[in-house]
Amino acid sequence: MSKILVPPEVMLKVSDQFAGASEHLGMITSHLNTQITMMMLLWDGTTQRRFFDDFQEAQSVADAVVEVEVIMIMLKKFLMHIVV
């Protein structure tokens, strides 16, 4: 049987830090999306498409990080039941 050697308080603190960073990343991504959309209106051609494709790939990675926040919330709820 596995043992969790990290105290729940430490895990809760890290969870809170991750949630804050995830929220911040979401705001940055939203701002970048707005900026990219505005640039696309003024830019055409192969380079524009390649840049936008690269940006979308990077955005999918950022979205995956934000989705991990859901897991962290579930972990936090679980830990709250253990600590209590």
Side-chain angles (χ1 to χ4, degrees), residues 10-37:
V10 172
M11 293 180 82
L12 290 171
K13 182 179 177 183
V14 171
S15 174
D16 288 341
Q17 290 173 345
F18 187 88
S22 177
E23 183 178 333
H24 185 69
L25 179 60
M27 290 186 305
I28 290 171
T29 302
S30 177
H31 178 72
L32 285 173
N33 278 332
T34 301
Q35 298 299 318
I36 295 298
T37 300

Side-chain angles (χ1 to χ4, degrees), residues 18-81:
F18 187 88
S22 177
E23 183 178 333
H24 185 69
L25 179 60
M27 290 186 305
I28 290 171
T29 302
S30 177
H31 178 72
L32 285 173
N33 278 332
T34 301
Q35 298 299 318
I36 295 298
T37 300
M38 290 172 57
M39 279 185 6
M40 286 190 65
L41 296 174
L42 304 171
W43 189 9
D44 194 22
T46 305
T47 305
Q48 178 257 9
R49 285 189 296 276
R50 188 174 29 201
F51 177 82
F52 187 68
D53 289 345
D54 289 346
F55 179 76
Q56 283 185 318
E57 185 177 329
Q59 184 181 10
S60 68
V61 171
D63 290 345
V65 171
V66 172
E67 289 175 14
V68 171
E69 182 179 9
V70 173
I71 296 169
M72 294 302 291
I73 290 169
M74 291 170 57
L75 176 61
K76 188 173 183 176
K77 286 179 182 178
F78 173 74
L79 288 172
M80 294 301 281
H81 290 288

